[in-house]
Amino acid sequence: MIFSENWLREFVDPGMKTAELVDVLTMAGLEVDGVEPAAAPFSGVVVGLVESAEQHPDADKLSVCRVSDGESSYQVVCGAPNVRAGLLVPFAKVGAVLDGGEKPFKIKAAKLRGVESNGMLCSADELGLAESSDGLLELPSSLAVGEDIRAALGLDDALIELDLTPNRGDCLGMIGLAREVGVLANAEVKALDFPSVEVNSSRSFAVATAAPDACPKYLGRVIENIDISIPSPFWLQERLRRSGLRSIDPVVDVTNLMLLELGQPMHAFDADKLNGTVSARMATAGEKLTLLDERQVELDTNTLVIADDRQALAMAGVMGGLASSVSNQTQSIFLECAYFSQLAIVGKARSYGMHTDASHRYERGVDYALQERALERATALLIEIVGGTAGPVSSAFGNLPAAREVTLTFSNVERLLGVAVAADDCLAILGRLGFAVRQSDAQRATLAVPSFRFDCAIEADLIEEIARVFGYNNLPETPSLSRQSLPKISEYRRPLAALKQLLVAQGFQEAINYSFIDPALAASVCPDQQAISLQNPLSTEMSVMRPSILPGLLMTLQYNLNRQRDRVRLFETGLVFESRAGETLQTRKIAGLLYGKSQPENWSQTKRSVDFFDAKGLVEMLLSAGAPIENAQFPRGSHPSLHPGQSADIMIGSRVVGIVGALHPRLQRELGLSQPAYLFELDSEPLLARTLPAAQALSRFPEVNRDIALVVDRDRAASDIVRCITEQAGTILKSLKVFDVYEGENLGQNKKSIAIGLTLQHPSRTLSDEEISATITSCINALANEFNAELRL
């Protein structure tokens, strides 16, 4: 929320400067995100009157003007299309200094196409009042010619941006914010005038609420014979601008003013486009609505709409519909003002990929006693600006929130805050905040919660309010004493941070991505998994829970490549989500990505790109780092996001715990990658087991090394051969490694040679040549029988 400090001071004078006000607001829980000036720094600009404007003799798009500053008349050459005699505009006299970005520039007398120009007529963007503009800033006729423009428009103002917590919807309007500042500064707050409008028209629409819980109050009235062509007054346009909104037309501007001033969203329909009763109801299945932004949405049955007898008119509390919208042809409007419950509106805008100022306020709670006064004030302002006659107010009521009372025990204030606050001071603070005392004695008081405070329901809420106003800085720092219960940590389990450190040591960097991802990305990377949709997504691009960590890593890779990072190593740990048998399952996984060169660029390193075996080696490192997993296997995989010829499943026993391989060429093309990316993802749980170190005697007997080279079918996995040898060699096999793979025409078609090194050792005696030969022969025979392997000579 952005508000003008000058506007706030019209309601309450806190008696403090901007910096102090910002500090007080922040310490009271209304965090200030930033402060900006209302206009650019400039000087020497006054209100000028254009006395005449004639065509430049040598330029079609320039005008030669006579401009008065109230004392003298000056000749000024101007290129704005809207310059004309009688116009009041900002006039930068010779010697004026305007904001030029890094370096201010000074206005000097000059000649434009041979005509002398003494000064400059300014647009809104040249004064820092807008990002762009099409012509001169036209000033209201009420300003005095020659008056300094900063004083005339009140431009020595600060625009303060608040980041309000969701429970403080009462401060999303200027009257609520002024009330809060008045309490914090112990200053009087000026009451806003809510005039009663005289009813001069009999035209009206019947209203109803068919959803009494979702829409407990709905008010509306017709205002006939308005002139919407009249522009909004300058003060209204400027008030909206300083709050971050642009002026559209008087009707929309007044409803936006109510939103900013009172915190009450309102909407106006073209009365001539309505038919029958205007009602609040739930949408019907398949019902469609074209919104003001010209986007058509299909409404679900949990969406509250405003409708007439023919069609849905608006998505209640979110956005109006195009079919009933106010246009430049509108002559009569139906002005609505409603209270919608928080539960009826919360998340609805996000579910349709929107976020509006109205939904932002309704989701946090709007004062349910404010609608009558807001409707009267908006009507009075509209009639003042665009004319017209007001009809009677039509109203419909449902189940309004019940009035709440909370009892405060004064002794609990000191017990919870650690400081004694007098009972009278407690009641005075709460009274200024709008809480009314129903009954009280020396020990306790019962207070009525105001209709604008949805966040106060129990005694602790009242004590928190007292603490805020009393001042958190005034509370003593009291060390807490409590019994500490330390959790047991098993020695046979290592922390997840140990896995992260292993990957960091290999040159990886940790990525942290959202658990919410784009449904299109989820479908592309994980087409065989149904992603879980969110009921209240932050946006359409973050509307499903991730079924895998890999989509987020691929997006992070793209982000890095777009910033000239050609060697990327990333990993991430976190939960993935899947729906199985109607239940949502969460699995903690660890995933990694390699892209580019295998080593950082260096004169002594080869410029080899990463390949499948780099990724597989990292997985093997993770598998062997804690409790060595002896039965891990890497059979050929078929994951849809990985290359069918360069991917493998990661199996422990008979269970698949992960995948590893090259990115599928289809995804590589979709992501615009110039070379393959290699990925792995596996469950974290099997990696967290740890084997405690145990001492054992070293064998005093020699090791024996034997190498064998086998010719097998080309598609035979080395892991199958390793498994067979391990089973046949038995306990005397100390280690085994594949040290060479060869393919050539001399081996035959579709054949390859795998060279394996075996290390044999007996723990209690020296192996004889006969035992060694028997073991090797047994392995070769088993390989020949199972895989038709031949010994390569």
Side-chain angles (χ1 to χ4, degrees):
M1 173 185 173
I2 301 174
F3 70 91
S4 159
E5 183 183 359
N6 284 356
W7 191 12
L8 174 67
R9 291 180 184 273
E10 292 179 13
F11 288 94
V12 59
D13 182 8
M16 55 185 73
K17 295 183 178 180
T18 303
E20 186 180 356
L21 175 63
V22 166
D23 183 62
V24 167
L25 288 172
T26 299
M27 291 307 298
L30 309 179
E31 183 180 357
V32 174
D33 259 2
V35 181
E36 294 184 356
F42 62 83
S43 61
V45 182
V46 301
V47 177
L49 171 63
V50 180
E51 297 176 326
S52 65
E54 299 178 357
Q55 180 68 47
H56 191 289
D58 295 324
D60 294 338
K61 295 184 179 181
L62 296 180
S63 299
V64 180
C65 308
R66 297 300 302 182
V67 182
S68 171
D69 67 353
E71 296 180 355
S72 304
S73 182
Y74 303 86
Q75 179 172 283
V76 179
V77 177
C78 177
N82 62 329
V83 65
R84 60 189 182 274
L87 189 66
L88 290 185
V89 294
F91 175 34
K93 301 168 68 174
V94 173
V97 178
L98 300 183
D99 181 34
E102 296 182 0
K103 185 178 180 181
F105 68 90
K106 191 173 184 180
I107 300 298
K108 300 177 181 178
K111 283 188 176 183
L112 297 177
R113 293 288 186 93
V115 177
E116 185 176 346
S117 180
N118 297 290
M120 173 181 172
L121 305 184
C122 302
S123 61
D125 64 311
E126 289 165 336
L127 301 180
L129 303 180
E131 292 185 1
S132 62
S133 54
D134 297 328
L136 299 176
L137 175 61
E138 300 187 15
L139 301 176
S141 58
S142 58
L143 298 184
V145 177
E147 185 179 5
D148 184 272
I149 198 74
R150 299 195 72 91
L153 300 182
L155 297 181
D156 292 323
D157 186 15
L159 306 184
I160 302 175
E161 183 175 3
L162 293 180
D163 184 14
L164 296 174
T165 52
N167 65 311
R168 293 312 304 271
D170 59 301
C171 290
L172 284 170
M174 189 56 68
I175 60 170
L177 184 59
R179 178 175 53 241
E180 189 77 9
V181 171
V183 174
L184 298 173
N186 199 15
E188 183 179 354
V189 180
K190 178 184 176 182
L192 190 63
D193 183 27
F194 292 96
S196 294
V197 177
E198 183 178 354
V199 176
N200 294 318
S201 171
S202 60
R203 187 179 179 186
S204 65
F205 284 94
V207 299
T209 174
D213 292 323
C215 178
K217 185 191 289 189
Y218 190 83
L219 309 177
R221 78 173 345 148
V222 174
I223 304 177
E224 290 188 292
N225 302 319
I226 66 171
D227 184 359
I228 202 168
S229 65
I230 299 175
S232 296
F234 186 84
W235 67 265
L236 177 54
Q237 296 183 39
E238 187 65 4
R239 191 148 287 178
L240 295 176
R241 181 192 72 81
R242 298 190 195 187
S243 300
L245 300 179
R246 63 184 180 90
S247 174
I248 298 175
D249 62 54
V251 174
V252 175
D253 290 354
V254 167
T255 57
N256 280 339
L257 180 67
M258 295 302 98
L259 179 118
L260 298 170
E261 186 177 70
L262 307 178
Q264 172 65 57
M266 299 180 70
H267 185 68
F269 302 97
D270 189 322
D272 297 326
K273 298 177 182 178
L274 305 183
N275 293 272
T277 301
V278 178
S279 62
R281 61 167 173 83
M282 307 309 293
T284 58
E287 189 170 14
K288 295 182 179 180
L289 174 65
T290 302
L291 300 170
L292 287 172
D293 59 4
E294 300 184 357
R295 184 163 62 98
Q296 187 181 71
V297 295
E298 183 172 338
L299 304 168
D300 62 56
T301 55
N302 293 321
T303 300
L304 182 67
V305 298
I306 306 301
D308 61 8
D309 291 345
R310 186 174 59 183
Q311 63 183 344
L313 304 172
M315 193 183 300
V318 179
M319 185 180 289
L322 186 64
S324 58
S325 63
V326 174
S327 69
N328 55 8
Q329 305 298 320
T330 298
Q331 296 180 344
S332 299
I333 62 170
F334 178 73
L335 186 63
E336 72 158 22
C337 188
Y339 167 69
F340 303 120
S341 72
Q342 292 171 266
L343 292 178
I345 306 301
V346 67
K348 288 296 181 292
R350 289 193 297 276
S351 69
Y352 292 97
M354 297 185 293
H355 179 79
T356 64
D357 289 326
S359 67
H360 186 79
R361 283 159 175 79
Y362 277 123
E363 287 177 345
R364 286 151 178 77
V366 170
D367 184 357
Y368 58 83
L370 182 63
Q371 287 70 43
E372 290 82 358
R373 292 176 292 162
L375 187 59
E376 290 294 329
R377 176 157 173 77
T379 303
L381 283 172
L382 280 171
I383 292 176
E384 178 184 334
I385 297 170
V386 297
T389 55
V393 175
S394 302
S395 58
F397 296 93
N399 302 321
L400 284 166
R404 288 168 295 153
E405 293 185 351
V406 180
T407 298
L408 173 67
T409 302
F410 298 124
S411 60
N412 287 338
V413 177
E414 182 175 359
R415 181 178 65 83
L416 292 177
L417 299 185
V419 63
V421 181
D424 289 344
D425 292 338
C426 291
L427 295 180
I429 289 172
L430 294 172
R432 297 202 305 274
L433 287 170
F435 295 83
V437 179
R438 291 289 181 253
Q439 58 182 19
S440 67
D441 54 36
Q443 284 75 40
R444 61 185 57 82
T446 300
L447 300 100
V449 179
S451 57
F452 50 80
R453 290 303 298 268
F454 290 88
D455 59 325
C456 293
I458 59 177
E459 182 186 43
D461 295 329
L462 300 184
I463 295 175
E464 181 184 0
E465 292 301 296
I466 294 170
R468 285 195 317 107
V469 179
F470 183 79
Y472 292 127
N473 288 336
N474 296 324
L475 300 180
E477 295 182 6
T478 306
S480 60
L481 297 175
S482 62
R483 184 182 297 277
Q484 299 295 317
S485 177
L486 300 178
K488 292 182 179 179
I489 300 177
S490 173
E491 291 181 307
Y492 294 93
R493 187 177 178 84
R494 60 178 177 167
L496 185 63
L499 294 179
K500 296 182 179 182
Q501 288 297 332
L502 283 173
L503 291 171
V504 169
Q506 297 297 318
F508 280 74
Q509 290 184 310
E510 183 176 9
I512 301 176
N513 291 301
Y514 285 108
S515 296
F516 324 127
I517 62 173
D518 189 336
L521 178 64
S524 181
V525 178
C526 307
D528 58 341
Q529 293 178 270
Q530 182 63 44
I532 300 172
S533 298
L534 296 172
Q535 290 185 351
N536 302 317
L538 296 174
S539 66
T540 53
E541 290 77 20
M542 302 176 69
S543 59
V544 298
M545 303 296 290
R546 63 184 181 189
S548 167
I549 296 177
L550 298 181
L553 287 180
L554 289 171
M555 288 300 96
T556 307
L557 170 64
Q558 262 195 329
Y559 183 89
N560 280 268
L561 293 178
N562 290 339
R563 285 151 184 81
Q564 291 78 49
R565 302 293 180 186
D566 54 1
R567 182 178 183 269
V568 180
R569 289 192 167 206
L570 299 168
F571 78 92
E572 183 175 0
T573 64
L575 294 173
V576 300
F577 308 86
E578 62 177 321
S579 180
R580 189 180 301 169
E583 294 186 5
T584 299
L585 302 181
Q586 304 179 48
T587 307
R588 186 168 295 280
K589 296 203 173 189
I590 183 168
L593 179 148
L594 301 90
Y595 184 88
K597 301 300 181 185
S598 61
Q599 298 291 334
E601 188 172 349
N602 188 281
W603 65 270
S604 64
Q605 301 290 346
T606 59
K607 295 182 179 181
R608 181 181 67 84
S609 296
V610 294
D611 58 24
F612 172 82
F613 297 102
D614 290 309
K616 180 173 177 284
L618 286 163
V619 172
E620 290 174 331
M621 177 196 70
L622 293 174
L623 291 172
S624 62
I629 299 174
E630 303 292 346
N631 57 345
Q633 302 175 54
F634 295 85
R636 184 186 300 273
S638 59
H639 194 278
S641 67
L642 299 182
H643 193 296
Q646 298 184 50
S647 63
D649 291 333
I650 305 169
M651 296 187 66
I652 298 177
S654 60
R655 179 187 168 207
V656 177
V657 298
I659 55 173
V660 59
L663 185 66
H664 197 287
R666 168 183 59 84
L667 288 172
Q668 183 178 334
R669 289 192 300 271
E670 289 179 6
L671 297 174
L673 305 182
S674 61
Q675 55 185 299
Y678 293 86
L679 309 105
F680 63 84
E681 182 179 45
L682 62 162
D683 295 350
S684 299
E685 193 61 32
L687 307 179
L688 300 180
R690 176 165 56 186
T691 301
L692 295 182
Q696 63 181 24
L698 294 174
S699 176
R700 296 180 291 108
F701 301 97
E703 296 177 346
V704 178
N705 297 314
R706 291 289 186 272
D707 297 338
I708 58 175
L710 303 166
V711 178
V712 296
D713 291 340
R714 186 178 183 181
D715 60 353
R716 175 61 57 194
S719 59
D720 294 336
I721 297 173
V722 170
R723 172 189 55 77
C724 182
I725 293 175
T726 302
E727 292 173 355
Q728 290 297 318
T731 58
I732 66 171
L733 180 64
K734 185 176 181 183
S735 65
L736 179 154
K737 64 179 179 180
V738 177
F739 65 85
D740 185 46
V741 177
Y742 169 74
E743 295 182 19
E745 295 181 358
N746 58 319
L747 297 178
Q749 189 175 6
N750 295 325
K751 294 290 185 178
K752 66 180 177 181
S753 170
I754 298 180
I756 302 173
L758 287 74
T759 300
L760 308 176
Q761 185 183 44
H762 198 284
S764 59
R765 59 183 174 82
T766 301
L767 291 172
S768 66
D769 290 341
E770 291 77 8
E771 289 177 303
I772 296 170
S773 297
T775 299
I776 298 299
T777 300
S778 173
C779 292
I780 293 173
N781 291 337
L783 291 168
N785 293 333
E786 187 170 352
F787 306 121
N788 196 27
E790 298 177 359
L791 189 65
R792 182 185 176 196
L793 302 176

